[in-house]
Amino acid sequence: MKPDILSMYENELCEYVLSIGEQKYRSAQLFKWLHSGTGLDGMSNIPKKMREKLAENALIPSVEIEEKHVSEDGTVKYLFRCHDGEFIESVFMTHEYGNTVCVSSQVGCRMGCRFCASTLNGLKRSLAASEMLSQVYTAQNDTGKKVSHIVIMGMGEPFDNYDNVVRFIRLLNSENGMNLSCRHISLSTCGLTEGIKRFADEGLPVTLSVSLHAPTDDQRDAVMPVNRRYPIKELLAACRGYFEKTGRRISFEYALIDGKNNSQEDAATLARLLKSELPGMPVHVNLIPVNPIKERDFKRGDRQATEKFVAELEKRGVNATVRRRLGADINASCGQLRAKKLEQN
Ligand code: SAH
C-alpha cells in the first residue's frame, strides 16, 4: 500500500519527504499545497522530478465530483467518487456567519437508525482523514468560496471511525493547513458513549451534537438500535462528562416524526429528562422535521404540532430551535443521493 500523504501530520510528512531523499523544506511546501486542495500538477514550486516521485510512490486520495446539485437557496449537494469508486455525499451551505461544509465520515453506516438513508445498505468502509479533508477542499475550490465552518454530520457515524475523525479535525486545525478553529467545527454522534468519553479527553473544543430523537428508552429503541447498547441515562451521563471537561454546550438533535415522538407530552417528557439528567448544564435542542425517505413510512408532523412542541420545551426552560431547511429541493439529506446512485448501477 502506498502511503496516504494527505492524511499525514506535518511531522509525519517531513519524515516521509526525508525518506524519499528530498530536503526538509520541501515538506513544508508540500503540506501547504496538499491542504489547499492542489493536485501534484499545480504544485508550482516543487520540482517536476519530486512530483513524479510522489505520483509514483504516494497516494493522495482526493475525491472527484460525480454529481453536483445546486439548490435555489444556494446550497450545493455533492456526490463524490472516492479513489476506489465508492460514493459519498457532502453539502456546502452558506450562512450569515460564513460557509459550512457538511462532511461524511464513512461510506454508508452500520448504526441502523430507522429514519436515515445512509444506513440502508449498511457500512461499506470508513473514510481516511484525507478523504474527509478532500470533501472540504474540493467543495471550496469548486464554489470558489472560503469554508469557515465544518459539521461532521454527513453519512456515517464519526465515533465508529474515531482515529481518522480526530486526525481530520487536528489537520483542519493545523496552522499551515486551513487553520480552522475547533469552535467552528461540530461533530454529530448517534451516542456511542465510549467515543464521547474519549473525545472529551482529546482537548479539542469541538461542539458536540448528540442525536437523541426520543425522550424515553422505549421510543428510542424503536428508531435507534444503538440505544439498546447505550441507553439514554448512560448517554446523558457521558454528555455531562463532556461538558464538564470542555465547557462546551451540547446540542441535541431531535427529528420530529409524526405520531412517534412529536406530541406535547413527548416535549414535556424530553424537558424533564434533560433537566433531571443534566442539571444546570446549558443545552440546546435542534428540532428537525423528519425528512421522509421512500424506504420507510415516517412522516413529519404539521407545523402546528412542531410549534406546540417548541412552546412546551421553552415553557419548561429548554432552549430549542427548528432547523432551517436548506436544500430541500435537491435531496440534501445525506444518504439519499448515494442510495439513488446504487439503485441505478
Ligand atoms: N451518525 C451521526 C451523523 C448522522 S447525520 C449521528 O447519528 O448523529 C446528522 C443528523 O441527521 C443526525 O441527527 C441524524 O439522526 C439526522 N437524520 C438522519 N436522517 C434523517 C432524516 N431522514 N430526517 C431528519 N433527520 C435525519
Side-chain angles (χ1 to χ4, degrees):
M1 263 277 274
K2 293 179 182 180
D4 166 4
I5 55 174
L6 184 58
S7 287
M8 290 180 181
Y9 292 129
E10 278 187 87
N11 62 325
E12 295 168 343
L13 189 67
C14 188
E15 247 172 65
Y16 175 73
V17 163
L18 294 174
S19 80
I20 59 166
E22 297 291 341
Q23 285 181 289
K24 193 175 167 192
Y25 76 100
R26 293 286 181 207
S27 97
Q29 292 175 327
L30 181 59
F31 189 86
K32 281 195 180 152
W33 284 121
L34 286 169
H35 295 279
S36 64
T38 307
L40 287 172
D41 293 343
M43 300 183 178
S44 52
N45 62 359
I46 294 190
K48 194 151 176 258
K49 265 190 94 175
M50 177 173 165
R51 282 187 266 147
E52 282 168 1
K53 213 188 289 181
L54 290 170
E56 200 172 315
N57 300 305
L59 192 67
I60 305 173
S62 309
V63 298
E64 307 278 343
I65 301 174
E66 174 77 12
E67 285 178 27
K68 176 183 171 181
H69 303 261
V70 184
S71 161
E72 284 167 4
D73 61 28
T75 302
V76 186
K77 174 89 191 224
Y78 293 100
L79 182 70
F80 287 130
R81 189 170 9 87
C82 300
H83 61 97
D84 62 351
E86 294 295 344
F87 296 112
I88 52 173
E89 297 176 34
S90 315
V91 189
F92 176 93
M93 293 163 280
T94 50
H95 296 103
E96 284 134 49
Y97 53 79
N99 300 315
T100 303
V101 174
C102 176
V103 172
S104 290
S105 55
Q106 295 182 310
V107 182
C109 184
R110 59 180 178 145
M111 297 298 133
C113 299
R114 299 285 300 158
F115 45 80
C116 181
S118 298
T119 202
L120 289 169
N121 294 293
L123 174 70
K124 198 68 200 249
R125 67 172 176 87
S126 281
L127 294 176
S130 53
E131 294 174 297
M132 293 181 249
L133 290 166
S134 183
Q135 297 171 53
V136 180
Y137 302 156
T138 307
Q140 181 165 266
N141 290 341
D142 180 59
T143 57
K145 291 179 187 151
K146 181 105 188 105
V147 172
S148 56
H149 292 71
I150 302 288
V151 296
I152 309 171
M153 295 192 182
M155 296 171 54
E157 166 50 41
F159 288 156
D160 191 35
N161 184 18
Y162 187 92
D163 291 337
N164 291 336
V165 166
V166 166
R167 181 174 278 270
F168 166 59
I169 294 169
R170 291 195 191 285
L171 283 165
L172 283 174
N173 211 212
S174 64
E175 227 179 302
N176 294 315
M178 280 189 84
N179 199 11
L180 208 94
S181 153
C182 282
R183 293 186 161 73
H184 288 190
I185 302 173
S186 297
L187 178 152
S188 178
T189 175
C190 66
L192 304 185
T193 57
E194 283 131 20
I196 296 174
K197 286 181 198 153
R198 214 176 137 194
F199 197 59
D201 289 325
E202 295 287 349
L204 297 169
V206 165
T207 301
L208 191 66
S209 286
V210 174
S211 297
L212 191 57
H213 302 318
T216 64
D217 280 323
D218 280 350
Q219 283 164 292
R220 198 164 186 263
D221 282 349
V223 286
M224 298 182 73
V226 69
N227 194 62
R228 295 195 195 115
R229 188 135 165 239
Y230 306 106
I232 292 179
K233 283 211 168 143
E234 198 183 314
L235 169 59
L236 295 182
C239 292
R240 201 162 55 232
Y242 188 81
F243 172 71
E244 279 159 9
K245 286 207 170 129
T246 64
R248 302 293 290 159
R249 179 180 83 161
I250 293 191
S251 176
F252 290 97
E253 287 157 287
Y254 193 103
L256 291 163
I257 308 172
D258 195 34
K260 297 238 186 263
N261 66 0
N262 72 335
S263 71
Q264 219 169 322
E265 178 60 36
D266 291 325
T269 312
L270 176 62
R272 278 195 299 269
L273 174 75
L274 296 176
K275 291 280 169 198
S276 67
E277 298 305 312
L278 308 173
M281 212 179 108
V283 298
H284 179 259
V285 177
N286 205 342
L287 298 164
I288 322 163
V290 76
N291 209 324
I293 56 172
K294 70 173 176 15
E295 291 79 1
R296 308 262 189 263
D297 60 354
F298 291 145
K299 294 182 194 66
R300 53 176 57 197
D302 55 24
R303 250 192 47 206
Q304 247 184 343
T306 303
E307 278 164 16
K308 275 191 192 155
F309 199 97
V310 176
E312 186 67 33
L313 287 180
E314 295 202 324
K315 190 177 96 190
R316 291 168 182 274
V318 175
N319 185 297
T321 46
V322 181
R323 184 181 288 177
R324 195 156 64 100
R325 290 190 75 214
L326 289 174
D329 53 330
I330 53 165
N331 276 348
S333 288
C334 273
Q336 295 181 338
L337 278 183
R338 176 170 176 265
K340 206 164 131 201
K341 186 85 186 170
L342 293 183
E343 247 174 44
Q344 288 162 358
N345 287 350

